[in-house]
Amino acid sequence: MAVCVSSTCDRDWNDQPALRKQIRPAMSATAVDLSDVSKRFDDVNAVDHVDLAIRDGEFFSLLGPSGCGKTTTLRMIAGLEFPTEGRISIFGDEMGLRPPNMRPVNTVFQSYALFPHMTVSDNVAFGLQMRRLDRREIRRRVGDALELVQLTGRERRRPNQLSGGQQQRVALARALVNEPKVLLLDEPLGALDLKLRQAMQLELKDLQTRVGITFVYVTHDQEEALTMSDRIGVMDAGRLLQVGVPEEIYERPTSPMVAEFIGDTNLLPATVKADGQIELVGGQIVGADITASPGAEIMVTLRPERLHIVDADGSFPDGHNAIDGTVARRVYLGNAVTYGILAGNVTLRVRVRNAPGQRQFDVGRRVQVHWAGDAAVLVERG
Amino acid sequence: MTGTGSTVQPRGLARRLLAANAWLVYGFFYAPILVLIALSFNENRLVGVWRGFTLDWYAQMAANTAVLRAVRSSLIVAAASTVVATVLGTAAALSLERFRFRGRRAFDALLYLPVIVPDVTMAVMLLLFFVRVADAMFVVSGAQVRLGLTTITLSHVAFNISFVAIVVRARLAGMDPTLEEAAADLYAGRWQTFRRVTLPQMTPGVLGGALLALTLSLDDVVITSFVSGPGSTTLPVYVFGLVRRGVTPLINAVSTAMLVASMALVLASVLLQRRRGPA
Ligand SMILES: Nc1ncnc2c1ncn2[C@@H]1O[C@H](COP(=O)(O)OP(=O)(O)O)[C@@H](O)[C@H]1O
Ligand SMILES: [Mg+2]
């Protein structure tokens, strides 16, 4: 069976060097392009007018809470669902209603979806057999793929004779062996325990760098997304809220939802005064690193680890903002202590590293919370 | 979890009563069967009185041409109706589980009708139907359609489709639908997906359904006796006829043989059902 039946198919996959990093063009091309894509199920807007360009060779993560439309987006790229509105192109080819078996992508399913009646090597060989590759070629590539995921020696096992981590690797090998232009992964580490998951995160990232295939990775775990991704797209309720490199997403969120979802933060309502200063709802004036138009109702996000505590009469560096408050809560976390500091009508969460010589505070003590001017980030009020 | 410390496990008197109940139920089920089997080896012509062990009745059974003809009819009907009902029942199960189409709900409900409708009703319906068809055929073409093995087979197909469909559907419903999506994602077309993934997954269900159909066909009396013609009796119908003339150990021997055959089939069916893929 010919995989590329469309005349617009520009590259024959069999010409691609086996699982080797390709030379990237100077101007990175767009691997997957979603243009105003929506998907409605009966009365649910699962995906709501999403515009997104995923670059060739990047590790792109779709991040968001459960039910926000990540899986649906991925399934539309794979061809397992079709958009209600909008267009999806893969390397410039518009996919339209092209079925999954005619698309240059492969998927690692959340449940792995390994064929239970086939051995590990038959599972991995499946895609190549469907494309009618030469027997010897199939054997060689299956061997390579299993070696890549360190499953050599397990060829004759059945999926139910493997551990969760091994099943996950088989699913990965079964997809990668086809050398797709884009690999789609739907929470592939979700079923693994924490230790294994963390190890696999690094391995997956490493693998992606080696094979140079574009990864579109779906996860609801923000730490996982930050660890692995070149860029992250944050979704909520079907909408794509922000796209950027991990630092951007974490340090300059553009909406309260992104600020809250990625890491822990203090979100404080505020208004912009005529002189450009920011006034918190409690009346406190603070500085922030972005200016907004006067009169605007905004939110200020302050990361707990960017806040510092000193005694009520203590000193802090010039240029820092400060608020007076009382220690209302203290939680010991081992490597850190988090405080709840009651300041006016808000409680600020502050994270203080548990290091030798680091001063800690008792509940009820009067203190000042201070932070550098650029630690506060303005976001539009959602 | 240990059984002894559990609060949900019955204890003391309740436990003993439950055990006694189980024995009673099993006794009720199996005592008649044991009596039947024992008496098939009874030397005495009078069924109720034990005289001594003999295999004569089995020898008589093997030599009785009427019995042998009935066995042959039963096997032909069972084989033919099982093959046809398995193909049609599997197709029905697939279409109900995998496709959405107009009238699906109605089709779904109607499919189970033969399971619910009493055998006698089903038998009368089929008989009337065949008589009408025969009349019509005679008027149209002058051909004579008689009740016989063909009508018996058609009737068995009619009720067996439902049973096959139910068994195959249960298997399909338990199958992970993402397996088929994974096949499509790995470049398999519809037919390849069916042949390489769906079919191997549902095979135990299909075999189980076929065995159930075979058993039901071999056992049926009511419907068969309505739609059979002269000289086309199946084994159960033949035995039923014998009983009306008085119970002899010959009947016990035939019944025992049927029982063993049916149990073997049911057992095979259960084992196939339980097997979750050829792991
Ligand atoms: N096949 C479907 N039919 C109806 N609703 C669906 C279907 N698939 C997904 N949805 C709905 O679409 C929304 C997004 O789902 P999904 O893409 O699976 O979210 P995520 O993967 O981010 O958890 C949810 O509200 C879900 O209930
Ligand atoms: Mg999902």
Side-chain angles (χ1 to χ4, degrees):
Chain A
M1 183 191 74
V3 179
C4 292
V5 291
S6 154
S7 58
T8 49
C9 235
D10 52 351
R11 263 198 278 177
D12 182 2
W13 303 347
N14 301 343
D15 290 342
Q16 291 189 18
L19 304 176
R20 237 186 308 120
K21 185 148 189 145
Q22 289 163 38
I23 302 140
R24 275 188 224 165
M27 268 262 296
S28 60
T30 300
V32 181
D33 188 70
L34 279 74
S35 164
D36 198 30
V37 170
S38 297
K39 177 70 186 181
R40 240 182 319 280
F41 291 111
D42 305 321
D43 51 349
V44 193
N45 273 323
V47 176
D48 198 2
H49 298 286
V50 165
D51 276 297
L52 173 63
I54 297 167
R55 294 174 197 144
D56 187 11
E58 84 175 326
F59 195 122
F60 188 91
S61 289
L62 273 175
L63 174 64
S66 167
C68 71
K70 308 178 296 289
T71 296
T72 306
T73 307
L74 207 67
R75 287 170 60 84
M76 285 192 289
I77 300 172
L80 297 167
E81 306 279 0
F82 297 114
T84 318
E85 273 174 60
R87 283 175 294 112
I88 296 177
S89 306
I90 298 175
F91 286 94
D93 275 350
E94 192 178 330
M95 288 295 123
L97 298 179
R98 205 188 284 187
N101 51 328
M102 302 289 185
R103 297 188 182 208
V105 300
N106 287 110
T107 307
V108 176
F109 291 85
Q110 185 162 13
S111 58
Y112 310 147
L114 298 177
F115 306 126
H117 57 289
M118 294 184 199
T119 61
V120 165
S121 59
D122 286 345
N123 263 282
V124 177
F126 190 88
L128 301 177
Q129 285 168 357
M130 290 300 115
R131 280 161 57 193
R132 297 214 186 287
L133 261 65
D134 174 67
R135 250 168 207 281
R136 293 224 322 276
E137 170 80 357
I138 292 179
R139 186 146 0 111
R140 188 182 63 73
R141 279 169 67 167
V142 168
D144 286 353
L146 286 176
E147 196 183 322
L148 191 73
V149 296
Q150 297 159 34
L151 276 177
T152 311
R154 302 267 150 67
E155 290 86 353
R156 306 242 55 85
R157 298 268 181 102
R158 301 230 183 225
N160 62 4
Q161 296 169 312
L162 299 177
S163 71
Q166 290 171 332
Q167 289 179 19
Q168 205 282 322
R169 288 159 197 265
V170 176
L172 199 61
R174 186 176 70 171
L176 276 176
V177 75
N178 303 293
E179 292 164 21
K181 292 182 177 180
V182 180
L183 186 69
L184 309 173
L185 304 99
D186 192 358
E187 314 215 15
L189 308 181
L192 306 181
D193 59 54
L194 183 65
K195 271 268 160 58
L196 191 54
R197 194 159 72 226
Q198 287 171 339
M200 283 299 292
Q201 284 170 8
L202 298 176
E203 256 182 61
L204 262 181
K205 175 65 194 164
D206 185 52
L207 189 79
Q208 189 268 338
T209 318
R210 267 187 291 150
V211 298
I213 292 173
T214 309
F215 274 34
V216 183
Y217 189 96
V218 160
T219 179
H220 68 265
D221 181 340
Q222 44 102 9
E223 218 175 293
E224 190 166 292
L226 292 173
T227 308
M228 305 167 79
S229 316
D230 293 324
R231 287 195 308 155
I232 299 173
V234 184
M235 286 187 79
D236 185 42
R239 285 173 313 124
L240 187 62
L241 297 180
Q242 188 176 355
V243 177
V245 299
E247 291 81 354
E248 242 174 282
I249 297 284
Y250 186 81
E251 291 179 23
R252 287 185 298 285
T254 55
S255 60
M257 156 63 204
V258 174
E260 275 204 302
F261 191 71
I262 315 292
D264 189 18
T265 197
N266 296 288
L267 268 181
L268 309 173
T271 43
V272 183
K273 300 217 309 170
D275 57 5
Q277 281 190 303
I278 313 299
E279 182 180 352
L280 296 183
V281 164
Q284 180 76 32
I285 308 291
V286 299
D289 77 334
I290 306 169
T291 51
S293 54
E297 305 263 301
I298 52 152
M299 301 288 266
V300 171
T301 160
L302 286 165
R303 298 283 183 195
E305 74 274 14
R306 298 286 174 87
L307 301 182
H308 311 279
I309 305 175
V310 291
D311 286 308
D313 56 358
S315 63
F316 50 83
D318 281 347
H320 272 213
N321 294 289
I323 302 185
D324 295 326
T326 315
V327 177
R329 199 160 29 81
R330 179 192 156 133
V331 180
Y332 178 78
L333 294 178
N335 62 353
V337 180
T338 59
Y339 292 93
I341 309 288
L342 189 65
N345 56 353
V346 297
T347 304
L348 290 172
R349 279 194 306 288
V350 182
R351 186 183 171 95
V352 176
R353 280 199 312 132
N354 187 11
Q358 173 68 52
R359 175 137 160 61
Q360 304 292 351
F361 301 86
D362 292 325
V363 172
R365 193 169 181 92
R366 299 213 34 90
V367 293
Q368 295 179 89
V369 176
H370 65 96
W371 62 90
D374 62 1
V377 177
L378 306 188
V379 292
E380 275 165 46
R381 207 175 277 189
Chain B
M1 189 186 212
T2 56
T4 45
S6 166
T7 51
V8 292
Q9 292 277 332
R11 270 173 294 181
L13 183 64
R15 193 190 177 94
R16 258 171 280 147
L17 281 177
L18 273 174
N21 180 51
W23 284 112
L24 270 174
V25 168
Y26 282 124
F28 197 68
F29 280 168
Y30 292 109
I33 294 178
L34 292 177
V35 169
L36 172 88
I37 295 173
L39 290 182
S40 73
F41 298 107
N42 187 1
E43 214 181 282
N44 196 340
R45 232 200 117 69
L46 293 171
V47 165
V49 185
W50 180 263
R51 195 190 287 161
F53 182 87
T54 180
L55 289 173
D56 279 0
W57 304 112
Y58 287 91
Q60 259 193 44
M61 174 179 86
N64 186 327
T65 51
V67 169
L68 292 182
R69 217 177 41 231
V71 168
R72 214 186 109 231
S73 299
S74 270
L75 291 179
I76 291 171
V77 168
S81 69
T82 297
V83 169
V84 177
T86 301
V87 171
L88 295 180
T90 301
L94 266 174
S95 62
L96 284 172
E97 274 300 311
R98 284 293 181 270
F99 302 105
R100 285 162 185 276
F101 52 90
R102 276 173 72 95
R104 180 171 168 265
R105 294 188 80 89
F107 186 55
D108 196 356
L110 287 174
L111 187 66
Y112 295 101
L113 215 54
V115 179
I116 301 158
V117 170
D119 273 6
V120 174
T121 315
M122 185 92 180
V124 173
M125 291 187 317
L126 285 165
L127 178 60
L128 287 176
F129 174 74
F130 288 133
V131 170
R132 287 273 157 242
V133 170
D135 284 353
M137 293 278 274
F138 185 68
V139 169
V140 172
S141 63
Q144 290 269 10
V145 178
R146 285 210 211 87
L147 294 175
L149 288 189
T150 315
T151 52
I152 299 175
T153 305
L154 286 174
S155 307
H156 287 200
V157 168
F159 66 77
N160 269 336
I161 288 177
S162 305
F163 287 98
V164 173
I166 290 168
V167 172
V168 175
R169 258 188 103 175
R171 176 81 196 183
L172 276 175
M175 183 180 153
D176 180 2
T178 53
L179 292 182
E180 287 168 1
E181 293 184 344
D185 186 69
L186 294 164
Y187 320 112
R190 275 178 174 273
W191 168 245
Q192 285 160 318
T193 300
F194 178 74
R195 202 179 64 78
R196 295 285 310 268
V197 175
T198 316
L199 193 60
Q201 288 291 300
M202 66 191 249
T203 300
V206 174
L207 289 180
L211 278 172
L212 183 63
L214 199 64
T215 315
L216 289 173
S217 173
L218 285 175
D219 285 354
D220 182 72
V221 174
V222 178
I223 293 171
T224 308
S225 60
F226 271 67
V227 298
S228 62
S232 66
T233 31
T234 59
L235 189 61
V237 175
Y238 176 75
V239 171
F240 191 65
L242 282 186
V243 172
R244 274 190 283 183
R245 278 177 268 136
V247 180
T248 68
L250 175 64
I251 292 177
N252 289 342
V254 173
S255 303
T256 302
M258 280 168 64
L259 180 78
V260 169
S262 298
M263 278 193 2
L265 286 176
V266 170
L267 195 69
S269 156
V270 167
L271 287 179
L272 277 171
Q273 295 289 312
R274 195 177 295 166
R275 207 172 66 162
R276 307 232 87 218

